[in-house]
Amino acid sequence: MNSNSPQTVDSLIHAEWIIPIRPANTQLKHHSIAIKDGVIVDLLPTELAKQQYCSTNTHELEQQLLMPGLVNAHGHAAMSLFRGMADDQDLHSWLQNHIWPAEAQWVDAEFVKDGSLLAIAEMLRSGTTCYSDMYFFPDAAAEAVQDSGIRAQFCFPVLDFASTWGSDADDYISKGLAARDKWQHQPLLNFAFGPHAPYTVSDQPMSRIAALAAELDIGIQIHCHETQQEVTDAINKDGERPLARLNRLGLLGPSTQLVHMTALNDADIELVRLSGAHVVHCPASNLKLASGFCPTQQLLELDINVALGTDGAASNNNLDLFSEMHIAALLAKATSGNAAALGDWQALEMATLAGAKALGLDHKIGSLEKGKQADLIAIDMSNIEQQPIYQPISQLVYTHCASNVKHSWIAGTQVLHNRQPTQINLTQLAQKAQQWRDKIQPAQH
């Protein structure tokens, strides 16, 4: 074979801009990505790429920007079927008076599969290629992942009390581990423990989760310090702040994902820093439920890893991670009194590499580097709302780009083409969502 002949790859993508995330603060103009066996094999100037590589699957993306797919580090995907059902409530009444009764009545494997597919379609169309899910019936959610081609982490929920999926903490743990065993060879799926919150899981199952997670080397995701009320109640009940309790029980470590984290004092933040745990910031949901403000700038200044999540569509009401970037950046500025807080680059990292790191996947995804999985999205930058372009990063964070996501690939397979998911029928999906509404709505009155 002639040493000068081009190397054949599975896909070759030429773009106007590439934002690889690593090296940091890098914007590449007229570069290309070569993909083989689901992996990025090269990232180089387009002129060189056309000389060195050939592919029957070549994409010329004029006026488009390539970047890593977004990582939604916390949500409840199937709750998309409850979107808009109980708006304008505080967290306590939203959960106790609306969500938990609705879940008891409606949530089963079919609900979870249909609701997950609805969420996945929305996430793919808004740039998310990997999401973390904490919800019941993970087997059904895993089927939705398999059907759609998206990447996911399933944090199977653990509670002291019964639901339609489990009877008590031991039952949840047993069922969650069985689901993990069943799906562990699915390359796009990871499993983690999902103890719901400090106030819904008692000490004994918390300690058991800590021991099992360490033994199995898997993550733990938990809602924590979501409101000041949660912290005050814990102090009144046990004389101990929730984070201090989790630390005492062995739950805080480098594989722990702490979601929300609005009511923090300096001692709480120091516990997180020393443990190496990750924080998952859900700005829109926290605002909508009036839960409080996560001190993101303070956390970032202490080198605590902060990822972004949408939470579920029942409390957001969308799964648009570009919107979360925007809100997170503005909130950090307002709450710190510093207009330079959480700049556009940091916001973009939170939605990509920081999310991957929180999920323990940063060796695979989160940046466009040789040897990593080819999880990437293409964004059309030609629209009038993005003009003129001085800094592409600024447009990504501050001009609402979700509806401009045109294509996406996960492990090298195209899962979104011209805004259409390649493995999901949107017409059928909308019909199913409407059928669920027609069943659920009469029961709400």
Side-chain angles (χ1 to χ4, degrees):
M1 179 178 166
N2 186 335
S3 60
N4 294 322
S5 58
Q7 181 184 335
T8 300
V9 291
D10 298 333
S11 298
L12 193 56
I13 307 172
H14 308 303
E16 186 112 356
W17 299 271
I18 294 182
I19 310 296
I21 301 297
R22 285 291 179 270
N25 299 307
T26 300
Q27 303 182 54
L28 304 172
K29 196 92 190 282
H30 300 304
H31 273 59
S32 303
I33 287 183
I35 301 167
K36 191 171 178 64
D37 298 327
V39 171
I40 297 168
V41 293
D42 212 345
L43 196 171
L44 70 171
T46 296
E47 280 189 27
L48 284 177
K50 288 180 175 179
Q51 295 168 25
Q52 295 181 21
Y53 296 98
C54 65
S55 175
T56 55
N57 189 26
T58 296
H59 304 265
E60 296 271 2
L61 303 183
E62 291 181 18
Q63 298 188 72
Q64 292 184 50
L65 180 149
L66 272 183
M67 62 171 284
L70 306 183
V71 179
N72 186 349
H74 176 71
H76 313 281
M79 291 181 78
S80 290
L81 289 174
F82 292 148
R83 189 199 316 266
M85 195 182 76
D87 291 329
D88 309 322
Q89 312 273 334
D90 65 66
L91 176 67
H92 181 79
S93 59
W94 178 80
L95 269 178
Q96 300 221 345
N97 301 334
H98 299 277
I99 296 304
W100 284 345
E103 287 180 332
Q105 186 170 359
W106 298 110
V107 172
D108 58 14
E110 184 186 8
F111 177 98
V112 170
K113 172 118 185 240
D114 291 348
S116 295
L117 277 172
L118 181 64
I120 289 165
E122 180 183 354
M123 285 190 280
L124 289 175
R125 281 166 54 87
S126 54
T128 291
T129 56
C130 176
Y131 74 103
S132 181
D133 191 38
M134 184 192 288
Y135 214 58
F136 310 110
F137 298 95
D139 277 320
E143 289 175 14
V145 164
Q146 193 170 47
D147 288 352
S148 63
I150 201 168
R151 191 184 297 274
Q153 170 190 261
F154 287 143
C155 312
F156 52 85
V158 180
L159 300 148
D160 281 347
F161 53 86
S163 69
T164 57
W165 185 56
S167 57
D168 57 19
D170 286 343
D171 190 34
Y172 290 111
I173 290 170
S174 173
K175 285 177 173 167
L177 291 176
R180 174 181 175 265
D181 289 344
K182 177 179 175 180
W183 294 95
Q184 64 181 342
H185 299 301
Q186 218 294 13
L188 298 177
L189 263 184
N190 285 72
F191 277 79
F193 286 93
H196 171 260
Y199 57 89
T200 53
V201 186
S202 50
D203 279 10
Q204 190 274 331
M206 283 287 201
S207 296
R208 187 175 173 217
I209 288 166
L212 283 168
E215 178 189 327
L216 299 169
D217 192 25
I218 62 175
I220 299 170
Q221 185 174 104
I222 183 169
H223 302 98
C224 192
H225 284 235
E226 185 169 359
T227 62
Q228 184 56 52
Q229 187 67 47
E230 174 196 333
V231 177
T232 302
D233 288 350
I235 293 168
N236 291 341
K237 180 172 177 279
D238 302 313
E240 192 174 30
R241 294 175 72 83
L243 270 169
R245 174 173 163 246
L246 296 185
N247 189 53
R248 173 173 59 80
L249 295 171
L251 259 82
L252 292 188
S255 298
T256 308
Q257 306 155 28
L258 302 163
V259 182
H260 297 300
M261 298 287 276
T262 68
L264 302 177
N265 64 20
D266 289 344
D268 298 328
I269 292 170
E270 183 63 6
L271 270 182
V272 177
R273 187 188 71 81
L274 290 172
S275 71
H278 310 269
V279 170
V280 182
H281 180 29
C282 301
S285 176
N286 290 343
L287 286 170
K288 186 164 186 277
L289 296 169
S291 298
F293 308 112
C294 176
T296 49
Q297 186 62 19
Q298 190 179 352
L299 299 173
L300 291 167
E301 286 171 358
L302 293 169
D303 291 326
I304 292 168
N305 185 53
V306 182
L308 276 179
T310 57
D311 212 353
S315 64
N316 185 311
N317 295 10
N318 63 66
L319 305 178
D320 174 358
L321 215 59
F322 279 105
S323 177
E324 301 298 326
M325 269 188 254
H326 187 194
I327 297 170
L330 300 188
L331 258 185
K333 299 171 197 313
T335 55
S336 66
N338 173 11
L342 190 56
D344 50 14
W345 269 104
Q346 280 184 302
L348 202 63
E349 284 198 15
M350 283 170 67
T352 52
L353 193 57
K357 187 176 180 184
L359 274 49
L361 294 172
D362 52 315
H363 63 295
K364 283 186 176 181
I365 62 170
S367 59
L368 303 182
E369 301 178 74
K370 288 183 190 179
K372 281 197 170 184
Q373 297 276 296
D375 287 20
L376 52 147
I377 60 176
I379 301 155
D380 185 352
M381 304 296 280
S382 68
N383 294 304
I384 199 69
E385 294 84 359
Q386 271 66 51
Q387 307 311 312
I389 298 173
Y390 297 106
Q391 299 289 341
I393 299 297
S394 173
Q395 314 308 66
L396 292 175
V397 176
Y398 295 122
T399 68
H400 298 286
C401 274
S403 61
N404 298 336
V405 174
K406 201 161 185 184
H407 312 293
S408 63
W409 293 262
I410 297 172
T413 297
Q414 189 160 13
V415 293
L416 188 75
H417 176 72
N418 285 328
R419 298 204 43 71
Q420 296 300 307
T422 60
Q423 299 177 38
I424 299 173
N425 184 315
L426 295 183
T427 303
Q428 289 178 3
L429 191 58
Q431 288 170 349
K432 280 195 173 179
Q434 288 155 12
Q435 287 164 9
W436 278 106
R437 177 205 58 201
D438 294 344
K439 276 199 287 189
I440 293 169
Q441 193 166 36
Q444 299 307 303
H445 300 293

